[in-house]
Amino acid sequence: MSDPTVFNRRDFLKLVGVGVAGTAAGCAKPPADKLIPFLVAPQDILPGVPYFYASTCRECPVGCGTVVRTREGRAIKVEGNPLHPVGQGGLCARGQAGLQGLYDPDRIATPMIKSGGAWKKATWDEAIAAVGEKLKAAGPKVAVVTGNETGSLHRLVGEWVTAARGRHLVTEAFAYESVREANRANFGRAEIPVYDLSKARGVISFGADFLETFGRPVEQARGFAAMRAKKDDGAGWFVTVEPRLSSTGCNADEWVAPTPGTEAALALGMAHVILAEGLARQGQGLAGLVAAYTPEAVSQQTGVPAETVQRLARLFAKTSPTLAIAGGISTQGDHGTALVAATNLLNWIAGNVGQTLRFDRTLNFDAVASFAQVREFAGQMAQGAFDVVLVHGTNPVYALPAWSGFAEGLAKVPYKVAIATHLDETAEACDVLLPATHALETIGDAETVRGVHSLQQPTMKPVPMFDARSAGDVFIALGTAAALPLVLAATWADYLSMQWRPMLARYGAGRDWETFWGDTLKQGGVWDDVPSPAVSWQGAPAFAVSSVRGDGDLSLIVRPSNNFHDGRGANKSWLQELPDMVSKAAWGSWVEVHPETAQTLGVSSGDPVKVTTAAGSAELPAYVYGGVRKDTIAIALGQGHTAYGRYARGRGVNPVTLLSDGMDAASGALAYHGVRARLSRGSKAAALARTQLEMGLHGREIAQIIPLVDLLKGEPETGPEQAHGKERGFQMPGHFAAGEGVHVGVDGSMTRPGEHTEPLQRPNGYVPPAHSVSAAPLHPVRGPRRNPVDVGSYKNAKHRWAMAIDLNACTACAACVVACYAENNVPVVGPDLVMRGRDMAWIRIDRFEERVAPGAIDVRLTPMMCQHCSDAPCEIVCPVYATYHNPEGLNAQVYNRCVGTRYCSNNCPYKVRAFNFFDYSATEKPTFAFPAPLNWQLNPDVTVRSKGVMEKCTMCIQRILEGKGNARDENRPLRDREIQTACEQSCPTQAITFGDLLDAESAVHQKSYGERKYWVLEELNTKPGVTYLQRVTRDTLANEAHA
Amino acid sequence: MTTTTVESVGHGGDPAEHRPITAKSLNDDVLGIIGLPGKIWWAVFLLDLAVLAVALAAVRNLIVQGWGTSGFMRPVMWAVDITNFVFWVGIAHCGTLVSAVLFLFRSHFRRAVYRVAEAMTVFGVLTAAMFPAIHTGRPWFDYWLFPYPNQRQIWANFRSPLEWDVFAVNTYLTVSSIFFLVGLIPDVAALRDRTKHPLMKLLYTILSFGWSGANYQWKHYYGAYLFFAALATPLVFSVHSVVSWDFAMALNPGWHSTLFAPYFVAGAIFSGVAMVINLLIPIRKIFKLEHIVTLDHMEKLAKLVLLTSTMVGYSYLTEIFMAWIGPNKFERDLFFSRAFGHYWWAFWIMATCNVIIPLVLWFKPVRRNMLAMFILCIFVNIGMWFERFTIIVTTLYRSFNPANWYPYKMAWTEVALIVGSFAWFFMFFLIFIKALPAFSIAEIKETLPPPMRRKH
């Protein structure tokens, strides 16, 4: 252990255990308050050497396996754990931002007791004693409200509540009641199934935002990319059925926009067609169920043409296996269960159940109460059923509408205790605050997925400025103080250890306890394969479509946010600054309005509008979006906090307040859609901080696509003239079914065919660049693709670092953006500066949308970062060589040398350079971006830039150096993919590949010289080091013929 | 003693122009301006300093707080700073043209106007040079742009057009200052002989380099003057060409063009001459020097404005035509957006002021109407400022990737920079008027008939 050279990133798991021992032993009571510098360094920890701890992400109920990188005793980066079955090495934006929860400057620092409406600081002993007294007095009139903790904490709370003879309520904003209820009714399993997209050859989603929040987004994204990578004919299509085109739906080949709430009818119509045409693989006897749902009837109800229903049904049934997913907001109507049941029927008759829809490693929502149960609980609170309520890890006062009665009921409880990290809306309503430790500094476990027992490892000593205790310890202390008839371990860690003892017999494989425990911590948990239970169709609830209530001419959709989930991520500045992938707006709320609706109202993006429903009204900026139906508006959840912290409070609107009374009677789910709304012009000068204002591609070839049929043809047999003669510019990925089913190609290019472009071998469908620099094609302007390594100073170089970005895999989940903020100390600048175009992101996701036909849009997403050009325009214009080309092909930026002429940015065609307009690193300035202890997260390997210098993507040069150093120390050549950039590591779909272009065997070389490659703005001859792979589009019309 | 007028004087209608000039009256008229300033001068000067103080506050914000206090953002990383730079370099252009090029061509009308033009050049360069210096993110490291031997063994990047700027501007400042000071020698000597104030006398003594008017001095003086004129002439074309390459060498549509060098030079002369007219008209009016700077002189300057205006207009049309006929879609989109996009008003201000309004100069009465000329030249300079603004901002805010299209909004600090640059320039000019001869006595005297030849 004393030899630092044995460390490397690939083999980190070998080393984790030792670090674990020290930290785990010290986590209950930190021996010293100072984490850095190491005045007396623990023997096991070497300064400058990163240590990795396997843990479990607690940012949402999915619980992906993580690996936390620590330096000198501080957690600095959270990454996916490649060994862990949940997440499989990917981690979403919310998971990446978990660190900011740990170092949040607004965490509760000490226990506090409310007296006279104001919070007063208290000691732990005082607070525990005070609560203990109340608990004693309350007797059985005690309730504990928690989030979906699962694992040992769930059991501890359970035991605690049983001993107190009280009540334990588990709440989650998205409890997926309708999914569970429908699966119970259809298959006898009240569970959220596994959607195995990787096995599917086609997916139809009924409003499920399965790449954002629904289900297990990271794994589903990985599966989705695997499905989209399928190349055989007819494979990998994705049709999305939703009234508002979600970020997930933007990846689809075809968008079908039914009348809001009628998705179930469309699914049943498809089932009708499949059964009627004898395409079903099983369950032919179920035809009677859907007899009423003829395509014509469905067309009447949904507004989707009958031919589309038939076509989709044939497409769905003829390719196999396929998958129909219902989830997210579409299942949160007053007949959401019926929609899930309808898709279950589709999956059943298409033979997908047991293949792509399975019940093996299902998500553990067993204990989560439905909204109806929460409401019932709220009623009990209001009636005085409880004298003491303890709340931990959930924020129902914010997340639930006022008519649920939760806030009202809680207010009637005489004594409320919050065991919380933040003073959120629910904690604000309590009488005592007991600061809880963050998941990253607490030992714990979770069983979020059946058969997967994840361990949550403390990655560092608790941040000393917060006098917090783990929730488990607090419950143990409260149990003792209240003299509950309960025998618990002395500490939470002991309790956990006891809980895990039985695992030894099952998973020990002959190891002793110490070895088993150490190995398990290193691995992140234990898991075994869960056999997929055979399920059969057991019956269906009554089918119906969700209704839209109230008056108004618009249907309101309240949707979860990719950034904040149900709102719990709102106090993380990375997530606030991360623009929404649909509107590219950050730091606020907006309402998505169809262009024609906006035109009628006379508003454009950023103008204030007022949304009025039966429940209330809210004023917020409009965002004009071609991806919502004319009769629909949409608002994202997550903003509009009245408490929680400096980044969340008073920002945007909480659309839950607009929801009027509505529930799914079958499952007890809250109806997030189904409310009518009116839109009027607002009065307040609202402002929308958008990082991208122009969504049109203007015929420029930044985001390229290739139809699958062209890809399958391989190299073009035709000359350039044919290629030029084909449609260019935007091509519709599919077509718009809700109205005009026309296949329109819009000629966006104005280059005259054959005249200004050279005869260059190009795949079919290749669209010639609009910009060509020579009028006479005597010499090829863009010669054969030149390896950027064989020119100039690269001749003697050992590496040429490069990247390949597969647009076919990218789903715009934006995990890479947050990962980059975390890895590279990118400052967060806040809404005012974002509005003035000063966001500092090193990697961003450019979004382009084009109206290809009336009502239909084609969305293209391109991650954009420094292209590390071989002939970089920025380099020649820098007067002081602050940006220069290093021998390994990187476009390096020397902050120390930068004078700040900004010429490099002006000359960069990709505009990927960010300028430090203010001193974001100066503690005394108002622009300081890292208020303590957020500054603890800063990566010590990366400079924090000062005012007046330019910065940009370095391809994580610190990681390159680390990897090279490790290889050198071990006296071996670098291995391919040994070095991973932060964006690449986090990418759930592995769309980003980094590596050495000089290594012909490397993955990046294969991709950069393989099919679908192109360079963005290739015609400028910058010879980028980042190669993009065209997105493959599938024509769902053509597929029908093939299948 | 009979009298005569300066030989190049025409026959205008203004009786003031026909005031007789003698060697003595010339000395008195020109040197009489110099001396302790009066109340009006002080009022103007203090107002000027007040404006400058506001600009300094803005500069303080920009440097101390950061360039975030400006309206810049990605993608528009240059705007008012470089617009001002190019504008003032352009203004500075005219002096050398008038004094050196017209001297070589023996264009005698220059004699009456060149001193003001030269002073304007020097002060214009001083104003212009300030902007590249303060526009950087870390101006305290500006000296890194100079290739000086250093321990770090880092050299400046000679491939960067900004580096060329460093040399072009410094060379121009040096040469134009020398030219200005050399031209001053005989006049300052005359001033030295009249001045009573000891400090001023010392200053003039130094600046007159021991001039006694001896024959050999005149001989060397004219030799030197010719030499400097020959040296300065290429600079007229080089400086602004180099400045234009800041843009032309970049690959942005709307910048990347071979037209830029001649286009910028023409524009620079255009704005410079207009500025000279703007300066001369009040001076000759206030100090009653219409007989020295006659309407004929002014008309010749007006013709120069007209000529350069047509050159600038031709350049605009060429750019647009080339964008339209060429294969480059980016460029075509850009020129369309210049005229009809977010900054259409800047484009049309530019086109109106620089091309359309100067068309009235085809009419002689306009050229000889000083009020009309004054207003017109102000329009020209507004137009030329907006020309640079259009070139810089409209190119940057709509470059290759539409995802980066982001409009730029000017902040108050930048408005202060614009106004402040004028205050800075006029501060020098106001001092100059009161301290140095604004007209070349020596050269004008050359045109007076020698006393020996007078008729009895």
Side-chain angles (χ1 to χ4, degrees):
Chain A
M1 200 73 254
S2 59
D3 181 6
T5 60
V6 300
F7 288 90
N8 67 61
R9 285 181 43 72
R10 289 296 274 196
D11 299 335
F12 64 85
L13 289 171
K14 280 193 265 176
L15 313 162
V16 166
V18 185
V20 168
T23 318
C27 79
K29 200 76 185 169
D33 279 341
K34 285 235 177 340
L35 289 183
I36 196 168
F38 278 113
L39 299 174
V40 183
Q43 280 186 338
D44 297 331
I45 292 189
L46 292 168
V49 177
Y51 288 78
F52 297 87
Y53 297 95
S55 189
T56 304
C57 177
R58 304 301 290 150
E59 297 303 311
C60 83
V62 176
C64 296
T66 60
V67 173
V68 183
R69 181 190 175 99
T70 67
R71 274 287 299 271
E72 283 85 49
R74 291 177 181 183
I76 58 165
K77 181 86 173 49
V78 183
E79 302 189 336
N81 180 353
L83 298 181
H84 200 283
V86 185
Q88 298 158 359
L91 194 62
C92 70
R94 299 184 298 275
Q96 298 277 346
L99 274 177
Q100 286 205 321
L102 172 65
Y103 296 123
D104 194 328
D106 299 319
R107 272 179 63 180
I108 303 167
T110 59
M112 287 196 281
I113 296 172
K114 204 185 248 173
S115 80
W119 291 108
K120 289 228 169 77
K121 283 184 184 174
T123 64
W124 269 102
D125 292 343
E126 284 166 20
I128 294 282
V131 179
E133 285 305 310
K134 293 282 182 185
L135 283 172
K136 270 184 198 161
K141 292 178 81 178
V142 174
V144 181
V145 183
T146 64
N148 190 15
E149 295 293 342
T150 71
S152 298
L153 185 59
H154 181 73
R155 285 191 289 275
L156 174 69
V157 175
E159 286 176 41
W160 194 96
V161 170
T162 311
R165 287 169 293 134
R167 168 109 194 256
H168 182 196
L169 181 81
V170 179
T171 70
E172 278 293 334
F174 309 127
Y176 308 135
E177 299 95 334
S178 48
V179 179
R180 290 190 278 156
E181 168 58 23
N183 284 322
R184 190 198 58 75
N186 297 144
F187 303 122
R189 299 192 74 94
E191 283 174 310
I192 300 147
V194 175
Y195 301 104
D196 191 349
L197 287 96
S198 65
K199 288 207 171 64
R201 284 161 53 81
V203 166
I204 182 162
S205 159
F206 292 86
D209 56 333
F210 62 86
L211 300 175
E212 297 164 78
T213 61
F214 175 70
R216 288 135 75 172
V218 171
E219 282 170 79
Q220 285 156 3
R222 180 154 296 195
F224 177 73
M227 179 195 84
R228 298 291 266 179
K230 291 196 171 91
K231 258 176 50 177
D232 53 319
D233 203 4
W237 53 265
F238 171 29
V239 175
T240 187
V241 181
E242 48 192 350
R244 174 223 174 234
L245 190 62
S246 63
S247 188
T248 301
C250 289
N251 296 290
D253 297 309
E254 181 178 346
W255 171 39
V256 179
T259 309
T262 64
E263 291 92 342
L266 183 62
L268 293 167
M270 284 172 61
H272 177 96
V273 174
I274 292 171
L275 289 165
E277 297 186 1
L279 299 170
R281 288 186 166 73
Q282 57 190 343
Q284 278 84 356
L286 298 171
L289 273 178
V290 291
Y293 291 90
T294 61
E296 291 70 29
V298 167
S299 176
Q300 286 260 312
Q301 216 165 355
T302 60
V304 178
E307 308 82 66
T308 305
V309 180
Q310 285 164 340
R311 183 172 52 77
L312 289 177
R314 289 170 197 147
L315 180 70
F316 186 76
K318 283 184 179 173
T319 33
S320 177
T322 46
L323 179 60
I325 309 181
I329 285 315
S330 63
T331 62
Q332 302 264 15
D334 59 2
H335 286 96
T337 309
L339 170 60
V340 184
T343 55
N344 277 344
L345 178 64
L346 268 181
N347 282 322
W348 177 253
I349 60 175
N352 299 332
V353 179
Q355 293 206 52
T356 53
L357 183 92
R358 295 195 309 268
F359 290 91
D360 43 20
R361 274 183 178 161
T362 54
L363 211 50
N364 181 0
F365 265 60
D366 298 348
V368 181
S370 71
F371 175 71
Q373 288 164 326
V374 175
R375 237 183 136 181
E376 191 191 335
F377 177 81
Q380 290 167 357
M381 285 198 296
Q383 284 156 19
F386 307 111
D387 285 345
V388 179
V389 169
L390 290 92
V391 188
H392 169 63
T394 183
N395 188 5
V397 172
Y398 165 82
L400 299 180
W403 53 265
S404 71
F406 192 92
E408 206 182 318
L410 190 67
K412 294 216 172 107
V413 174
Y415 201 69
K416 290 93 60 184
V417 182
I419 304 160
T421 53
H422 284 82
L423 193 56
D424 57 22
E425 287 82 354
T426 307
E428 194 78 73
C430 291
D431 301 298
V432 177
L433 284 180
L434 301 175
T437 48
H438 188 268
L440 286 169
E441 51 189 11
T442 318
I443 193 149
D445 64 351
E447 196 195 344
T448 54
V449 169
R450 204 171 305 286
V452 179
H453 304 274
S454 308
L455 265 180
Q456 172 192 316
Q457 194 171 185
T459 57
M460 60 184 288
K461 292 162 201 158
V463 182
M465 51 194 80
F466 307 115
D467 183 15
R469 292 188 187 175
S470 69
D473 279 322
V474 174
F475 276 108
I476 290 170
L478 288 179
T480 313
L484 292 184
L486 175 73
V487 183
L488 289 173
T491 65
W492 161 240
D494 294 344
Y495 179 84
L496 186 82
S497 169
M498 273 157 46
Q499 292 288 316
W500 274 73
R501 288 275 170 177
M503 299 275 194
L504 180 64
R506 188 159 164 211
Y507 298 96
R511 288 171 289 184
D512 62 4
W513 165 252
E514 294 300 326
T515 322
F516 167 71
W517 183 244
D519 289 351
T520 310
L521 280 173
K522 272 192 279 182
Q523 192 174 242
V526 288
W527 42 81
D528 44 20
D529 289 328
V530 178
S532 177
V535 293
S536 59
W537 186 261
Q538 298 191 347
F543 288 123
V545 297
S546 294
S547 65
V548 185
R549 303 168 308 278
D551 54 21
D553 47 354
L554 295 164
S555 175
L556 171 69
I557 290 181
V558 172
R559 64 170 179 97
S561 150
N562 187 34
N563 295 21
F564 311 120
H565 200 249
D566 56 352
R568 66 185 73 179
N571 204 43
K572 299 185 172 78
S573 54
W574 289 339
L575 296 179
Q576 286 280 3
E577 187 117 326
L578 172 67
D580 179 83
M581 283 304 137
V582 167
S583 66
K584 299 297 299 247
W587 291 99
S589 293
W590 61 93
V591 53
E592 286 159 12
V593 182
H594 187 269
E596 285 179 32
T597 316
Q599 204 178 9
T600 317
L601 206 60
V603 293
S604 53
S605 289
D607 290 345
V609 290
K610 193 173 178 189
V611 181
T612 313
T613 66
S617 70
E619 194 162 314
L620 68 176
Y623 173 67
V624 180
Y625 178 37
V628 283
R629 281 174 59 102
K630 273 180 234 172
D631 57 359
T632 305
I633 54 172
I635 306 176
L637 286 163
Q639 298 280 28
H641 284 271
T642 54
Y644 198 12
R646 68 188 72 178
Y647 299 114
R649 188 169 41 233
R651 217 174 282 293
V653 163
N654 184 2
V656 165
T657 58
L658 297 172
L659 296 176
S660 58
D661 207 333
M663 271 187 1
D664 179 4
S667 65
L670 168 62
Y672 280 107
H673 77 80
V675 178
R676 284 205 196 281
R678 278 183 219 285
L679 209 57
S680 55
R681 294 186 72 133
S683 51
K684 267 186 283 177
L688 195 55
R690 282 189 293 160
T691 59
Q692 183 182 342
L693 301 181
E694 178 58 50
M695 296 286 183
L697 199 41
H698 294 260
R700 301 175 182 199
E701 304 187 302
I702 290 154
Q704 295 187 12
I705 54 167
I706 180 168
L708 181 64
V709 283
D710 289 345
L711 186 66
L712 291 173
K713 278 184 205 147
E715 289 304 306
E717 320 92 30
T718 50
E721 44 301 343
Q722 278 94 333
H724 292 149
K726 287 175 72 98
E727 306 143 282
R728 63 174 67 89
F730 268 100
Q731 282 161 326
M732 261 176 88
H735 67 252
F736 183 61
E740 308 73 14
V742 228
H743 197 119
V744 186
V746 175
D747 190 341
S749 166
M750 289 161 81
T751 309
R752 279 166 290 187
E755 199 169 336
H756 298 301
T757 43
E758 73 289 356
L760 185 67
Q761 291 296 300
R762 279 292 173 198
N764 248 351
Y766 174 78
V767 188
H771 169 95
S772 57
V773 288
S774 167
L778 288 175
H779 310 285
V781 182
R782 303 181 294 284
R785 185 185 165 83
R786 264 206 300 172
N787 185 338
V789 301
D790 58 18
V791 290
S793 59
Y794 300 121
K795 277 178 187 152
N796 301 320
K798 292 198 175 112
H799 308 284
R800 200 307 181 195
W801 303 118
M803 208 177 251
I805 296 177
D806 188 350
L807 296 182
N808 198 39
C810 177
T811 64
C813 71
C816 51
V817 180
V818 177
C820 184
Y821 268 82
E823 172 75 16
N824 292 305
N825 304 338
V826 178
V828 167
V829 298
D832 297 340
L833 291 183
V834 169
M835 215 174 300
R836 289 161 70 187
R838 273 84 172 272
D839 62 301
M840 300 293 289
W842 284 8
I843 177 170
R844 56 171 203 260
I845 297 177
D846 286 348
R847 177 190 170 94
F848 301 103
E849 47 189 60
E850 201 98 332
R851 297 185 70 181
V852 285
I857 59 171
D858 172 7
V859 181
R860 308 214 186 151
L861 300 148
T862 314
M864 183 58 68
M865 76 292 271
C866 176
Q867 304 285 299
H868 293 273
C869 310
S870 299
D871 280 350
C874 55
E875 287 166 13
I876 55 158
V877 300
C878 177
V880 293
Y881 285 120
T883 183
Y884 76 106
H885 223 71
N886 91 358
E888 297 185 350
L890 292 179
N891 173 249
Q893 176 76 20
V894 188
Y895 307 124
N896 278 349
R897 179 69 174 166
C898 181
V899 175
T901 66
R902 308 186 293 281
Y903 200 171
C904 50
S905 173
N906 285 343
N907 209 26
C908 174
Y910 311 96
K911 295 283 182 278
V912 288
R913 292 172 154 265
F915 184 66
N916 283 273
F917 279 102
F918 289 108
D919 216 341
Y920 303 115
S921 60
T923 44
E924 72 283 1
K925 296 272 174 71
T927 47
F928 184 51
F930 314 100
L934 274 180
N935 55 350
W936 287 32
Q937 183 277 325
L938 293 174
N939 185 353
D941 290 335
V942 179
T943 315
V944 177
R945 283 76 60 184
S946 65
K947 178 186 74 184
V949 303
M950 196 61 83
E951 62 180 69
K952 60 158 196 82
C953 162
T954 62
M955 280 198 181
C956 288
I957 192 166
Q958 67 280 4
R959 291 183 174 219
I960 295 174
L961 289 175
E962 189 186 342
K964 284 192 342 190
N966 288 339
R968 191 180 52 233
D969 290 344
E970 290 169 24
N971 203 14
R972 59 168 174 80
L974 266 171
R975 291 187 287 259
D976 182 35
R977 308 213 71 173
E978 176 177 353
I979 302 170
Q980 284 194 312
T981 60
C983 51
E984 176 190 23
Q985 205 288 331
S986 70
C987 183
T989 62
Q990 295 173 311
I992 301 174
T993 311
F994 171 82
D996 182 2
L997 215 51
L998 288 190
D999 175 5
E1001 301 301 309
S1002 69
V1004 72
H1005 185 98
Q1006 308 288 330
K1007 289 192 176 180
S1008 300
Y1009 291 87
E1011 59 183 18
R1012 296 193 281 129
K1013 62 175 187 279
Y1014 75 97
W1015 286 339
V1016 171
L1017 298 171
E1018 177 180 6
E1019 58 271 29
L1020 297 177
N1021 214 23
T1022 54
K1023 304 192 194 82
V1026 179
T1027 307
Y1028 288 81
L1029 274 59
Q1030 291 162 322
R1031 197 182 76 181
V1032 182
T1033 59
R1034 277 107 173 144
D1035 193 335
T1036 43
L1037 271 172
N1039 267 342
E1040 188 195 2
H1042 291 296
Chain B
M1 187 191 263
T2 52
T3 59
T4 182
T5 54
V6 179
E7 75 176 11
S8 59
V9 165
H11 304 285
D14 190 351
E17 285 199 5
H18 300 292
R19 262 166 60 201
I21 300 178
T22 66
K24 182 176 186 321
S25 77
L26 185 65
N27 272 18
D28 291 345
D29 285 346
V30 174
L31 301 180
I33 304 171
I34 297 160
L36 283 179
K39 277 182 191 148
I40 296 171
W41 187 93
W42 275 113
V44 174
F45 192 68
L46 287 175
L47 180 72
D48 185 87
L49 290 186
V51 174
L52 196 57
V54 176
L56 283 176
V59 172
R60 179 248 166 224
N61 276 5
L62 290 170
I63 293 173
V64 176
Q65 290 177 15
W67 272 85
T69 48
S70 72
F72 295 174
M73 74 296 174
R74 181 160 83 184
V76 185
M77 287 285 190
W78 287 345
V80 163
D81 51 352
I82 302 298
T83 302
N84 279 353
F85 165 64
V86 181
F87 176 78
W88 283 106
V89 170
I91 295 289
H93 235 75
C94 172
T96 321
L97 178 93
V98 171
S99 43
V101 179
L102 297 186
F103 176 78
L104 293 180
F105 281 100
R106 299 292 184 266
S107 237
H108 292 303
F109 84 92
R110 68 174 273 282
R111 286 171 174 160
V113 298
Y114 87 87
R115 178 67 46 72
V116 169
E118 273 181 11
M120 185 187 77
T121 294
V122 175
F123 306 145
V125 181
L126 282 175
T127 313
M130 204 168 58
F131 286 99
I134 62 167
H135 97 287
T136 57
R138 305 200 292 175
W140 49 97
F141 289 131
D142 280 348
Y143 67 93
W144 288 349
L145 269 73
F146 291 93
Y148 64 100
N150 62 75
Q151 232 175 357
R152 291 165 296 181
Q153 303 196 328
I154 309 176
W155 211 231
N157 180 6
F158 287 102
R159 292 186 303 166
S160 168
L162 278 190
E163 192 59 37
W164 308 343
D165 265 2
V166 172
F167 289 95
V169 173
N170 282 305
T171 310
Y172 193 60
L173 180 62
T174 315
V175 172
S176 62
S177 305
I178 292 173
F179 204 50
F180 177 58
L181 291 174
V182 168
L184 272 172
I185 290 173
D187 293 1
V188 173
L191 194 55
R192 171 196 64 195
D193 298 342
R194 288 163 69 111
T195 308
K196 303 278 188 297
H197 194 284
L199 264 179
M200 294 309 284
K201 199 169 183 88
L202 179 66
L203 176 74
Y204 297 137
T205 308
I206 291 166
L207 285 179
S208 57
F209 295 98
W211 182 268
S212 62
N215 196 32
Y216 72 94
Q217 284 182 334
W218 279 110
K219 180 170 178 282
H220 290 304
Y221 173 76
Y222 276 116
Y225 201 83
L226 183 67
F227 170 74
F228 281 119
L231 192 67
T233 300
L235 289 179
V236 175
F237 304 99
S238 73
V239 181
H240 225 63
S241 299
V242 171
V243 168
S244 79
W245 293 335
D246 281 350
F247 309 107
M249 291 290 159
L251 43 65
N252 293 319
W255 283 10
H256 191 69
S257 159
T258 47
L259 177 70
F260 260 45
Y263 165 29
F264 266 50
V265 170
I269 296 167
F270 181 46
S271 66
V273 176
M275 192 66 156
V276 170
I277 294 174
N278 273 341
L279 291 171
L280 278 174
I281 290 175
I283 291 175
R284 70 195 278 275
K285 183 89 184 161
I286 292 166
F287 298 108
K288 300 192 172 54
L289 300 174
E290 286 98 337
H291 59 300
I292 294 174
V293 186
T294 62
L295 277 183
D296 280 0
H297 295 144
M298 299 305 290
E299 191 186 350
K300 283 186 171 138
L301 288 176
K303 284 177 180 168
L304 206 48
V305 170
L306 180 59
L307 173 72
T308 46
S309 161
T310 54
M311 289 163 75
V312 167
Y314 175 76
S315 302
Y316 296 164
L317 290 176
T318 308
E319 270 192 316
I320 292 167
F321 177 75
M322 290 313 288
W324 173 69
I325 201 168
N328 189 335
K329 177 173 161 51
F330 297 116
E331 201 165 309
R332 199 176 315 138
D333 285 358
L334 184 100
F335 278 95
F336 185 83
S337 115
R338 270 193 188 166
F340 306 107
H342 193 266
Y343 296 102
W344 60 270
W345 45 270
F347 175 86
W348 290 108
I349 290 174
M350 166 189 107
T352 312
C353 294
N354 293 351
V355 183
I356 298 167
I357 295 180
L359 290 178
V360 299
L361 289 176
W362 286 105
F363 302 103
K364 189 166 182 172
V366 179
R367 294 200 298 266
R368 297 185 75 86
N369 181 333
M370 287 303 104
L371 181 65
M373 283 297 295
F374 187 75
I375 294 167
L376 184 136
C377 286
I378 285 178
F379 274 122
V380 167
N381 270 315
I382 291 172
M384 284 309 293
W385 193 90
F386 274 100
E387 178 197 297
R388 279 66 175 249
F389 181 84
T390 303
I391 289 171
I392 293 169
V393 174
T394 58
T395 284
L396 290 176
Y397 101 103
R398 273 172 92 95
S399 60
F400 295 100
N401 184 351
N404 296 113
W405 292 358
Y406 218 100
Y408 153 85
K409 242 188 222 160
M410 205 181 285
W412 78 266
T413 47
E414 293 164 279
V415 179
L417 277 191
I418 301 169
V419 183
S421 70
F422 281 88
W424 173 258
F425 173 83
F426 281 108
M427 177 186 78
F428 286 115
F429 206 84
L430 284 167
I431 296 172
F432 160 75
I433 286 286
K434 282 291 165 190
L436 290 170
F439 298 91
S440 174
I441 306 167
E443 287 212 31
I444 297 172
K445 274 185 186 167
E446 279 179 45
T447 62
L448 299 180
M452 295 296 286
R453 290 185 195 165
R454 70 184 171 198
K455 289 172 187 166
H456 295 277

